[in-house]
Amino acid sequence: MRRILSATVLSLLLAGAAAAQIAASPELQAGARIASGIQTEAPAIPSADAVLAEARKVAAADKKKILVLFHASWCGWCKKLEKALDDPEMKPLFQKNYVIRWLTVYESPNKKALENPGAEDLLKQYKGNDQGIPYFLVFDGKGKMLADSQKSPGENIGCPAEPDEIAHFVKVLRKTGQFTDSELQQIAERFKKNKS
């Protein structure tokens, strides 16, 4: 009896943990379904076109640019970039200038469900394929590309950490955003931390 009760409690705990994961973000939901083998219907990962269309609407209404970042769940440098952009001192600076959207690409075979359909094609369209990730593009509110993460053709800066990468990133921000010199210096100092 005790074994049956223990097994029942364990099953309930595992089911509760799975339910908590599924209540999270779409990426976590997809990952939880893949890991647990749950075959329930879930919201589809939006296509790259849908993400950009929504971002253009928001950017046009808010008079901002669009910062599109390509990443994958396994990518350590992508996580460093996300952490830098989410830094409490950085986040407001970026949010006042950009509508920020992440597109998932290049996932491992067991996590392909996390990818935004069409994101890899978008990356190819703007010559970001074979550049590694993270990779970014900056668009105006009408969808015209203004900048990317290549400091020169074929040289993706990824997550800025080295002085020349940070200099290029700051140059892109100066060109596409409305940052003060002090804010750009603050951003440069924060991105130096990405090296460690």
Side-chain angles (χ1 to χ4, degrees), residues 27 71-76 78-79 104-105 107-108 111 114 133:
E27 277 187 353
H71 72 133
S73 64
W74 53 263
C75 173
C78 300
K79 293 178 189 322
T104 304
V105 293
E107 280 295 343
S108 54
K111 292 190 176 182
L114 299 176
I133 52 176

Side-chain angles (χ1 to χ4, degrees), residues 172-191:
V172 167
L173 298 178
R174 187 182 305 279
K175 174 183 171 185
T176 62
Q178 296 181 359
F179 296 93
T180 66
D181 289 340
S182 173
E183 290 170 336
L184 291 171
Q185 182 60 39
Q186 185 181 359
I187 291 167
E189 290 301 318
R190 169 57 185 88
F191 276 77

Side-chain angles (χ1 to χ4, degrees), residues 23-135:
S25 70
E27 277 187 353
L28 286 177
Q29 291 174 14
R33 283 192 312 280
I34 291 166
S36 67
I38 296 173
Q39 299 296 320
T40 60
E41 288 297 316
I45 300 289
S47 70
D49 288 342
V51 170
L52 287 179
E54 179 272 336
R56 281 193 296 274
K57 285 181 186 176
V58 174
D62 294 349
K63 296 181 180 14
K64 294 180 181 182
K65 305 297 189 301
I66 303 164
L67 177 59
V68 177
L69 301 121
F70 295 86
H71 72 133
S73 64
W74 53 263
C75 173
W77 282 104
C78 300
K79 293 178 189 322
K80 282 188 176 201
L81 180 57
E82 186 172 356
K83 184 177 178 181
L85 293 175
D86 280 343
D87 182 296
E89 292 182 16
M90 296 293 103
K91 193 170 189 170
L93 300 178
F94 284 92
Q95 286 182 333
K96 80 175 184 178
N97 286 280
Y98 302 102
V99 173
I100 300 172
R101 297 295 181 263
W102 294 86
L103 293 175
T104 304
V105 293
Y106 304 146
E107 280 295 343
S108 54
N110 65 333
K111 292 190 176 182
K112 284 289 186 189
L114 299 176
E115 291 184 1
N116 295 90
E120 194 171 335
D121 293 334
L122 183 68
L123 197 54
K124 288 177 187 172
Q125 178 183 344
Y126 290 100
K127 299 179 182 12
N129 59 319
D130 301 326
Q131 296 296 310
I133 52 176
Y135 189 86

Side-chain angles (χ1 to χ4, degrees), residues 137-168:
L137 299 168
V138 182
F139 296 96
D140 68 14
K142 294 181 181 178
K144 177 184 173 193
M145 191 185 76
L146 304 174
D148 64 22
S149 60
Q150 294 185 58
K151 65 180 177 177
S152 61
E155 279 192 80
N156 175 24
I157 65 169
C159 176
E162 297 293 334
D164 60 325
E165 296 166 345
I166 295 169
H168 175 73

Side-chain angles (χ1 to χ4, degrees), residues 9-30:
V9 170
L10 181 59
S11 295
L12 289 172
L13 287 173
L14 291 174
Q21 283 184 316
I22 291 171
S25 70
E27 277 187 353
L28 286 177
Q29 291 174 14

